[in-house]
Amino acid sequence: MSNTILVGAQWGDEGKGKIIDYLTEQADIVVRAQGGANAGHTVIVGKTKYILHLIPSGILRNRTTCVIGNGVVIDPAGLVEEIDGLKQNGIDPAGRLLVSDAAHMVFPYHKALDAAREALKGRGKIGTTLRGIGPAYGDKIARSGLRMGSILNAKRFVEQLGQAVRDNNILLRSLGARPLPLKRTMDGVLKAARRLRPYVTNTVQLLHKAVAAEKRILFEGAQGTFLDIDHGTFPYVTSSNTTAGGMCTGSGIPPTMIDRVIGVAKAYTTRVGEGPMPSEDRVVGDLLHGMGREYGATTGRERRCGWFDAVTVRQSARLNGITDLALTNLDGLDTLGSIKVCVGYRLGGKPIDHQPSDLAQLARCRPVYETFPGWQTPTDKIRTWKALPPNARRYAKALAKLTGTRLSHASVGPGRSQTITL
Ligand code: GDP
Ligand code: IMO
Ligand code: MG
């Protein structure tokens, strides 16, 4: 048995797509189990850059089966667009991509509701990706959502969708937003739904059969630990469990069948959207934005940047049971003479070694920094651990020690080959 969960250990965009693509070489099946098209996972293969939102990054290796599990919320039109985008690049997901019949759907009214609620919040907005994620999960929890399996009964689906659009138009009006045109909205969804029918199946059964046949499963977490609906910086979070447990509920594979949990973290910290980020620092932002880096893969927004926060990643290691740490974007720090790491917080003058769950307290946490010497050498062409500058090795090892993890990978560029395995 060799089933691996990979999760983001920070606030998302840690480089999960890149590491998944690298690890897929040793996997038979790659599974997405939560989130939706709010995710943007960048993978660079040769000269082509792919940004995957719903389809597992494993699709880029031609012998891998990819599963979109029951815990994901799927925008049918978005998924069709993504399939077509891959086809244009010579990758046909047909036969290799399977979509859970129990996954809930995201409809145009979910996106309109997302925008309407954000607008109503004004300055208190969450800064969502406007992909309809919160409203779709809301319908799931309220037991009023529609699941992918319902598209298999075309006649009934037309009735269910019509009713849902009408009901949600009432809701949109009550929020001061414009209702959606019934026919056009339905036509768009129905057209996409017809295309997706061949992909829909019972993925829980499929995955259990695969485990019995000793296939190796890789779970591709989306978002990051501190965007988790329970463990993140609520309410500035997403609406799913982004931590390791979410991969089990979102796929039907139990914790006893998991062998390894890899946490992916950047060698510094980034965050998109609102919410606290104790180690945020202009110096890091100016450096990375100056290099044209750290713009969102889904929304194009400038990411907020800061120093590596060992308090959050250590907490993430505990929440996820991280065994291995994949450290990405080490090369982003190549030019710095010295590098700060947040090793603890002070709250009201007292030291604190974890993120308080109360947001007001977290906002008052002041980072305690330790300074490490930089290496001031380009690392992007380095392919072995031993060839890395000694200060880069010391820095990476120190981060693993501070977070109570084992360093398993160091990434020095966005490409497949720019990955060092320890
Ligand atoms: P994900 O959502 O976790 O898959 O991450 P994103 O794709 O949203 O953002 C990560 C960004 O960093 C992408 O532009 C990647 O191509 C890039 N990236 C990943 N690892 C590295 C690395 O080690 N070095 C550099 N320079 N870029 C990286
Ligand atoms: P990947 O998988 C970074 C953030 C949004 C916002 C909050 C809620 O690429 O790492 P949502 O649209 O989910 O309701 O937005 O969560 N967010 C992400 N930030 N990476 C992501 O995904 C994200 N998905 C959502 O910016 O702050
Ligand atoms: Mg991303």
Side-chain angles (χ1 to χ4, degrees), residues 204-227:
V204 177
Q205 293 306 315
L206 178 132
L207 288 174
H208 277 271
K209 274 191 194 145
V211 171
E214 297 192 358
K215 300 282 184 210
R216 299 156 302 174
I217 305 177
L218 183 56
F219 294 86
E220 177 172 352
Q223 289 79 52
T225 299
F226 295 99
L227 291 172

Side-chain angles (χ1 to χ4, degrees), residues 74-91:
I74 301 171
D75 169 4
L79 182 53
V80 165
E81 201 179 304
E82 212 170 315
I83 290 171
D84 288 344
L86 286 172
K87 277 186 176 169
Q88 275 168 17
N89 279 304
I91 299 164

Side-chain angles (χ1 to χ4, degrees), residues 6-20 23 223-225 261-266 313 316 322 324-329 411:
L6 180 140
V7 288
Q10 296 161 318
W11 276 281
D13 302 330
E14 294 90 349
K16 297 177 293 294
K18 186 219 137 137
I19 301 293
I20 285 282
L23 295 174
Q223 289 79 52
T225 299
V261 181
I262 301 178
V264 186
K266 276 180 178 149
V313 179
S316 177
I322 292 173
D324 299 343
L325 178 69
L327 196 64
T328 66
N329 288 273
S411 170

Side-chain angles (χ1 to χ4, degrees), residues 13 40-41 303:
D13 302 330
H41 295 180
R303 293 178 184 144

Side-chain angles (χ1 to χ4, degrees), residues 23 26 62 70 206 211 273 340 347 361 405:
L23 295 174
Q26 299 147 38
N62 55 22
N70 54 277
L206 178 132
V211 171
K340 292 207 267 184
L347 177 61
Q361 282 190 10
T405 57

Side-chain angles (χ1 to χ4, degrees), residues 12-17 38-42 51-53 223 266 272 295-298 303:
D13 302 330
E14 294 90 349
K16 297 177 293 294
N38 49 349
H41 295 180
T42 314
I51 297 178
L52 295 144
H53 299 287
Q223 289 79 52
K266 276 180 178 149
V272 241
Y295 292 90
T298 296
R303 293 178 184 144

Side-chain angles (χ1 to χ4, degrees), residues 22-196:
Y22 178 77
L23 295 174
T24 298
E25 202 168 21
Q26 299 147 38
D28 301 298
I29 305 180
V30 182
V31 182
R32 272 283 304 274
Q34 44 69 232
N38 49 349
H41 295 180
T42 314
V43 183
I44 294 174
V45 184
K47 288 199 169 68
T48 311
K49 177 172 163 175
Y50 298 90
I51 297 178
L52 295 144
H53 299 287
L54 278 162
I55 300 178
S57 302
I59 203 76
L60 304 178
R61 305 245 188 197
N62 55 22
R63 41 161 286 284
T64 314
T65 299
C66 288
V67 170
I68 303 181
N70 54 277
V72 177
V73 286
I74 301 171
D75 169 4
L79 182 53
V80 165
E81 201 179 304
E82 212 170 315
I83 290 171
D84 288 344
L86 286 172
K87 277 186 176 169
Q88 275 168 17
N89 279 304
I91 299 164
D92 188 356
R96 286 203 295 130
L97 175 67
L98 299 145
V99 177
S100 168
D101 54 5
H104 277 251
M105 277 186 270
V106 180
F107 295 119
Y109 57 77
H110 289 124
K111 292 190 207 171
L113 286 168
D114 199 351
R117 286 179 185 150
E118 282 284 88
L120 278 177
K121 285 194 175 94
R123 279 166 57 95
K125 72 177 195 299
I126 292 165
T128 75
T129 59
L130 301 178
R131 296 295 188 272
I133 304 300
Y137 275 117
D139 276 352
K140 172 177 175 174
I141 300 303
R143 295 160 296 183
S144 56
L146 290 175
R147 311 203 295 180
M148 285 303 293
S150 53
I151 71 173
L152 300 177
N153 184 338
K155 193 162 165 273
R156 184 140 184 271
F157 181 55
V158 172
E159 289 161 21
Q160 289 170 316
L161 182 64
Q163 191 59 48
V165 176
R166 280 190 288 272
D167 290 350
N168 281 279
N169 272 344
I170 298 171
L171 199 53
L172 282 167
R173 273 197 205 94
S174 75
L175 294 172
R178 240 192 288 164
L180 301 176
L182 182 67
K183 185 168 182 316
R184 192 150 32 102
T185 304
M186 287 187 63
D187 285 351
V189 174
L190 294 172
K191 191 172 163 215
R194 275 195 294 277
R195 288 271 313 273
L196 292 177

